Amino acid sequence: MRLSTRNQLTGTVAAIKPGAVMSVVTVELDGGQQVVASITKDATEELELAPGKPVTVLVKSTEVMLGVE
Amino acid sequence: MRLSTRNQLTGTVAAIKPGAVMSVVTVELDGGQQVVASITKDATEELELAPGKPVTVLVKSTEVMLGVE
Amino acid sequence: MRLSTRNQLTGTVAAIKPGAVMSVVTVELDGGQQVVASITKDATEELELAPGKPVTVLVKSTEVMLGVE
Amino acid sequence: MRLSTRNQLTGTVAAIKPGAVMSVVTVELDGGQQVVASITKDATEELELAPGKPVTVLVKSTEVMLGVE
Amino acid sequence: MRLSTRNQLTGTVAAIKPGAVMSVVTVELDGGQQVVASITKDATEELELAPGKPVTVLVKSTEVMLGVE
Amino acid sequence: MRLSTRNQLTGTVAAIKPGAVMSVVTVELDGGQQVVASITKDATEELELAPGKPVTVLVKSTEVMLGVE
């Protein structure tokens, strides 16, 4: 499936912190920066996420903010 | 100001496509991947965004999705 | 690619209203309700969206609100 | 109150999974598809959500993504 | 309709900047601070928004970030 | 850092309800209204949020909805 979602970055799961119904997943992007995702615990289980697993990080462009010094 | 926003990635503005009230800004992340932001045209002007300008890309962790092959 | 995105509804494009950099796409869901998406004009063109085209509507669960009478 | 929110779909609560401060609510849309909402546990209690209760599912159009095969 | 949406602030429309398909609406909150909303132009017309009109500003709690000095 | 984020309201932390990985923070805005933020528990700890602490509430304009009576 091709998505309208503008941002699709490649990376690898670095860590998963499971909560009650939500989980916080840290991803190491290819190129070296980190992204954190707060997704449902159900999703982490269905996708069988685990440290070392390659993932695509998706973010809709309307969710991205910019800052300048 | 320190922010609760988990994702703060460094990069450089690659292109700006101005619309009527919204603009679409493409950022080249340090490390080589690209991110697109749909922000208000007012914001692009206030921040004086232009190609080559260093920026921080900010995304709240609740906005991040993950995909696996 | 399997996605963490909880909501993946099937439907058909009913109408597209193109703007300067954003477009508003109306989708008729299978089952008869309608969904409106504000996405970049670039995305509508890349996906070659047009009335009658089958699409999947995706929404992260953290973006969904509920109301009761 | 009339809302700017473009997407207001009717359905019925199918299941509620309560967490520590967030809850995951599954709604069966009229017409047959399902939607999952991650909302605060406070909201589920204030709205007295329970399986079988009719609800309106609300999603801002800027939060909707589209996919095509 | 009672909403799960945690944030419902009262205010008055201060200005509307119409775009092609999106509009940017500035609201003066009761108490004196300002909020800007990027909503569809369709919504501004359906709600007949105009300067001086009382409105409720709604924001889902998962969309709110915090900063400290 | 100057941000593209249109909405930056000043206030004071009124209460924090910690969950497993998410926390719900209530902020009393200067001017008297309240805002609730669902952020990661990690963020509440890093920012050392506590009742009485002055904070800035940030919301991207694309996340704001409006309602009229």
Side-chain angles (χ1 to χ4, degrees):
Chain A
M1 187 162 58
R2 289 180 300 135
L3 300 172
S4 64
T5 317
R6 297 293 82 192
N7 298 304
Q8 304 191 28
L9 308 174
T10 56
T12 305
V13 174
I16 302 175
K17 187 184 286 195
V21 294
M22 301 293 287
S23 291
V24 176
V25 182
T26 304
V27 175
E28 180 89 10
L29 293 182
D30 296 347
Q33 303 197 64
Q34 278 196 337
V35 167
V36 172
S38 295
I39 63 177
T40 61
K41 196 175 183 180
D42 286 346
T44 62
E45 291 167 358
E46 278 181 37
L47 300 186
E48 299 169 277
L49 297 181
K53 185 158 189 163
V55 287
T56 300
V57 169
L58 300 106
V59 180
K60 195 171 192 292
S61 67
T62 46
E63 307 300 347
V64 180
M65 296 163 285
L66 299 177
V68 296
E69 293 300 333
Chain B
M1 186 163 58
R2 289 180 300 135
L3 300 171
S4 64
T5 317
R6 295 295 82 193
N7 299 302
Q8 303 191 28
L9 308 173
T10 56
T12 305
V13 174
I16 302 175
K17 187 184 286 194
V21 294
M22 300 294 286
S23 292
V24 176
V25 182
T26 305
V27 175
E28 180 90 11
L29 293 181
D30 296 347
Q33 302 197 64
Q34 277 196 338
V35 167
V36 172
S38 295
I39 63 177
T40 59
K41 196 177 183 179
D42 286 347
T44 62
E45 291 168 357
E46 277 181 37
L47 300 186
E48 298 169 278
L49 297 180
K53 184 157 189 164
V55 286
T56 300
V57 169
L58 299 108
V59 180
K60 194 170 191 290
S61 67
T62 47
E63 307 300 346
V64 180
M65 297 164 284
L66 299 176
V68 297
E69 294 299 333
Chain C
M1 183 162 60
R2 290 181 299 135
L3 300 172
S4 64
T5 317
R6 296 294 85 193
N7 299 303
Q8 305 191 27
L9 308 173
T10 56
T12 306
V13 175
I16 303 176
K17 188 183 283 195
V21 295
M22 300 295 285
S23 291
V24 176
V25 182
T26 305
V27 176
E28 180 91 10
L29 292 182
D30 296 348
Q33 301 198 63
Q34 278 196 336
V35 167
V36 172
S38 296
I39 64 177
T40 60
K41 196 176 184 181
D42 287 346
T44 63
E45 292 167 356
E46 279 181 36
L47 300 186
E48 297 169 279
L49 297 181
K53 184 157 190 165
V55 286
T56 301
V57 168
L58 300 108
V59 181
K60 194 170 192 292
S61 67
T62 46
E63 307 300 346
V64 180
M65 297 163 284
L66 299 176
V68 298
E69 294 298 334
Chain D
M1 185 162 60
R2 290 179 299 135
L3 300 172
S4 64
T5 317
R6 296 295 81 191
N7 299 303
Q8 303 191 28
L9 308 173
T10 56
T12 305
V13 174
I16 302 176
K17 187 182 284 193
V21 293
M22 300 294 287
S23 291
V24 176
V25 182
T26 304
V27 175
E28 180 89 9
L29 293 182
D30 296 347
Q33 302 198 63
Q34 278 195 339
V35 167
V36 172
S38 296
I39 63 177
T40 60
K41 196 177 184 180
D42 287 346
T44 62
E45 292 167 356
E46 278 181 37
L47 300 186
E48 298 168 279
L49 296 180
K53 182 155 190 164
V55 286
T56 301
V57 169
L58 300 106
V59 180
K60 195 171 192 292
S61 68
T62 45
E63 307 300 346
V64 180
M65 296 163 284
L66 299 176
V68 298
E69 293 300 332
Chain E
M1 184 162 60
R2 289 181 299 137
L3 301 172
S4 64
T5 317
R6 296 294 84 193
N7 299 303
Q8 304 190 28
L9 308 174
T10 56
T12 306
V13 174
I16 302 175
K17 189 184 283 194
V21 295
M22 300 295 286
S23 291
V24 176
V25 182
T26 304
V27 176
E28 180 90 8
L29 294 181
D30 296 347
Q33 302 198 63
Q34 279 197 336
V35 167
V36 172
S38 295
I39 64 178
T40 60
K41 197 177 183 178
D42 287 347
T44 61
E45 292 168 356
E46 279 181 38
L47 299 186
E48 298 170 275
L49 296 180
K53 186 158 189 162
V55 287
T56 301
V57 169
L58 300 107
V59 180
K60 194 171 193 290
S61 68
T62 47
E63 308 300 346
V64 180
M65 298 163 282
L66 299 176
V68 297
E69 294 298 333
Chain F
M1 186 162 58
R2 289 180 300 137
L3 300 172
S4 64
T5 317
R6 296 294 83 192
N7 298 304
Q8 303 191 29
L9 308 173
T10 56
T12 305
V13 174
I16 301 175
K17 188 184 285 193
V21 295
M22 300 294 287
S23 291
V24 175
V25 182
T26 304
V27 176
E28 180 90 8
L29 293 182
D30 296 347
Q33 301 198 67
Q34 277 196 338
V35 167
V36 172
S38 295
I39 64 177
T40 60
K41 196 176 184 179
D42 287 346
T44 61
E45 292 168 356
E46 279 180 36
L47 299 187
E48 297 168 279
L49 296 181
K53 183 156 188 163
V55 287
T56 300
V57 169
L58 300 107
V59 180
K60 195 172 190 291
S61 67
T62 46
E63 308 299 347
V64 180
M65 297 164 285
L66 299 176
V68 297
E69 293 301 332

